[in-house]
Amino acid sequence: MPVLTVVGAQWGDEGKGKIVDLLAEQAQYVVRYQGGANAGHEVVVGGENYVLHLVPSGILHAGTLNIVGNGVVLDPDSFLGEIAGLNKRGIKTKGRLFISPRAHLTLPLHKALDAAREGADGQTKIGSTKRGISPTYMDKAGRVGLRLADLKDPRYCMEQLKTSLQEKNVLFRHLYKSKPLTAGVLWKAISADAKALLPYMADTEGMLNAAYKAGKRVLMEGAQGTLLDIDFGTYPYVTASNSTAGGSATGTGLGPTRIGYVLGVCKAYTTRVGEGPFPSELDPKRDKVLRELGGEYGRTTGRARRTGWLDLVALRYAAQVNGLDGLAITKLDILDTFKELEVVVAYKIGSKVVTGFPATTAELAKAKPVTVKLKGWNAPTTGAKTFAQLPKVARAYLNYIEKFTDVKVALVSVGAERNKTIVVDSKLKSWKF
Ligand code: IMP
């Protein structure tokens, strides 16, 4: 079953872009299954830097077809801007990029709501990217959203917009003290984009099932990470979709029995953007050192990421809720100069030592990390082409992760470029899952 799901195993920004790009070399289809323009996948190819928000990373490979699944929320402006940017750099999108008719649209009203909610008194500050993601999913669940296919039916769109604005305008007027919106003005903006968007619409669910039947290699690309998942993440400091592996079934129309391998991507340490508890967070001095070494600044918002030691409690939990088959450890080289490292192996909450991941943010906020000190390898890893060529102490670090999480290290990344990658699990080369 050559269907591979790649998920973030931490709080996002694990380096999925590079891993997906590398594996996409052999994939025939690359599929985004959730999230929207809040994601920022950075890929370095031939010294050129690409940051993709909505377009699947497979676009950088000439022979790959790319699908934006039904689970994604699509911001037309962002999508069309991204396409224009790619086309300008000589990357074709027509005939290589397809969007599900069932994908919901992020409209200006959603972005306005996101920004208003994030700034409002009495609302929990989530640290949202303000790309309108949560309001779009709210409308999807509230059954007042617009989907790509709806753009073909202006009358239906106007009705949906009017229904949606009945509630929204009460909020805009009375709670957020801003100008109400009208369905007519909104539709004018949306219909202008429709012409450019609709040629990308295709029966992606049908395409993927046909591809599966024909034994094609399909790569499902997760955005954000496990701890930002709406169900399994550190609620309410989460994104509004299922970024975990299950989302790759519901967000694409390819059923769960079709997925052959789930690869979890995690950094050799931990980072988090936005608000919310982060038990392994470093003290400000060491946080700054690790942030500068790792270049830990958000690709979508430019925000500084918070950094911490590798949290194995959280990683083991991610392994469970995703059913991980393998781990891709990224940015190992960032730890090359450390003489000593720590990993979190339990939390102390009050007088109790817990080894499971707490369900509430309140508990997690009280969690003091119980760490184990490990030797740093204090030697370069960037030149290693095989697992055996890594410094012995670095291998011991990876083995420690494997033992703790009960998931094998399937891939190790030791630099930003494609060739700075060690593929350990031969299944990821052969796609025989
Ligand atoms: P939203 O998805 O924009 O609503 O943001 C919700 C939370 O998810 C915030 O803490 C964001 O910083 C975080 N978030 C959203 N997308 C990403 C991502 O691609 N990487 C890391 N964090 C993200």
Side-chain angles (χ1 to χ4, degrees):
M1 285 188 281
V3 180
L4 167 67
T5 293
V6 179
V7 294
Q10 296 166 312
W11 273 289
D13 311 315
E14 297 92 349
K16 293 181 295 295
K18 174 191 155 167
I19 305 301
V20 170
D21 173 62
L22 181 97
L23 296 166
E25 227 160 40
Q26 304 147 36
Q28 284 143 314
Y29 290 79
V30 178
V31 193
R32 266 288 299 274
Y33 60 84
Q34 45 74 228
N38 50 350
H41 290 169
E42 188 181 26
V43 187
V44 183
V45 186
E48 288 257 339
N49 205 358
Y50 297 86
V51 181
L52 300 167
H53 297 285
L54 270 161
V55 176
S57 311
I59 203 75
L60 304 175
H61 297 270
T64 312
L65 298 181
N66 295 272
I67 289 182
V68 176
N70 59 285
V72 172
V73 289
L74 189 91
D75 176 344
D77 292 338
S78 172
F79 183 77
L80 295 172
E82 206 169 319
I83 285 179
L86 286 166
N87 293 162
K88 223 167 141 187
R89 291 169 84 171
I91 294 161
K92 281 202 186 121
T93 48
K94 287 257 161 68
R96 303 186 51 222
L97 179 59
F98 306 93
I99 314 172
S100 165
R102 297 173 173 85
H104 275 253
L105 301 177
T106 296
L107 307 178
L109 83 97
H110 297 123
K111 286 185 265 189
L113 266 179
D114 216 2
R117 288 172 73 214
E118 191 74 16
D121 292 340
Q123 289 258 5
T124 307
K125 198 170 181 300
I126 303 297
S128 156
T129 59
K130 299 183 189 161
R131 298 294 193 270
I133 307 299
S134 164
T136 313
Y137 282 112
M138 280 165 77
D139 275 1
K140 175 178 177 174
R143 292 156 296 203
V144 290
L146 286 187
R147 308 192 295 175
L148 181 61
D150 298 333
L151 294 181
K152 292 204 296 195
D153 186 347
R155 206 179 320 168
Y156 173 79
C157 287
M158 278 298 282
E159 272 167 30
Q160 280 290 85
L161 286 171
K162 278 183 192 157
T163 312
S164 175
L165 286 177
Q166 258 176 16
E167 284 178 359
K168 306 289 182 330
N169 277 339
V170 176
L171 295 176
F172 282 131
R173 249 194 223 110
H174 301 292
L175 186 61
Y176 303 130
K177 313 282 182 223
S178 58
K179 273 197 184 147
L181 302 170
T182 66
V185 171
L186 273 180
W187 174 245
K188 217 172 150 195
I190 303 162
S191 59
D193 289 337
K195 235 177 139 183
L197 274 182
L198 283 172
Y200 287 98
M201 185 169 85
D203 172 19
T204 56
E205 294 85 32
M207 279 171 77
L208 281 173
N209 278 281
Y212 172 78
K213 237 179 153 182
K216 303 266 197 241
R217 295 171 173 189
V218 180
L219 197 164
M220 318 265 236
E221 174 185 20
Q224 289 88 46
T226 300
L227 300 174
L228 290 170
D229 181 279
I230 184 84
D231 283 284
F232 298 112
T234 47
Y235 195 88
Y237 300 98
V238 292
T239 193
S241 62
N242 282 118
S243 46
T244 43
S248 69
T250 54
T252 61
L254 203 53
T257 51
R258 303 318 197 216
I259 299 163
Y261 192 106
V262 182
L263 179 69
V265 185
C266 94
K267 274 182 194 157
Y269 48 97
T270 313
T271 62
R272 172 164 207 178
V273 233
E275 310 297 319
F278 179 8
S280 73
E281 189 164 15
L282 290 170
D283 59 73
K285 211 170 136 193
R286 290 191 298 176
D287 174 50
K288 191 164 180 268
V289 172
L290 191 49
R291 179 164 46 255
E292 293 311 320
L293 277 172
E296 297 296 350
Y297 293 91
R299 298 294 173 264
T300 302
T301 59
R303 288 182 291 179
R305 297 179 186 143
R306 301 151 68 194
T307 72
W309 296 124
L310 183 60
D311 186 336
L312 290 174
V313 178
L315 189 58
R316 180 167 55 194
Y317 168 72
Q320 289 167 358
V321 298
N322 287 295
L324 294 186
D325 293 302
L327 280 169
I329 309 284
T330 63
K331 291 191 148 183
L332 189 71
D333 55 303
I334 302 303
L335 301 181
D336 282 356
T337 52
F338 285 74
K339 291 199 174 69
E340 187 179 73
L341 299 164
E342 291 180 50
V343 287
V344 176
V345 293
Y347 302 139
K348 197 149 185 245
I349 303 178
S351 57
K352 274 197 193 142
V353 173
V354 300
T355 53
F357 195 73
T360 70
T361 311
E363 266 182 298
L364 196 66
K366 282 188 232 151
K368 300 270 173 283
V370 178
T371 63
V372 164
K373 285 194 166 72
L374 298 174
K375 245 172 99 179
W377 43 97
N378 199 18
T381 54
T382 40
K385 298 268 177 257
T386 63
F387 193 80
Q389 283 175 8
L390 286 169
K392 194 171 163 210
V393 181
R395 277 183 277 145
Y397 184 73
L398 297 171
N399 290 147
Y400 195 97
I401 298 170
E402 281 184 327
K403 263 219 181 100
F404 195 96
T405 57
D406 199 22
V407 183
K408 59 181 179 272
V409 170
L411 192 152
V412 185
S413 170
V414 289
E417 291 280 343
R418 262 185 206 167
N419 64 1
K420 299 254 187 279
T421 316
I422 303 166
V423 181
V424 187
D425 189 346
S426 60
K427 284 185 188 171
L428 293 177
K429 287 185 191 149
S430 66
W431 285 65
K432 289 212 167 65
F433 309 131

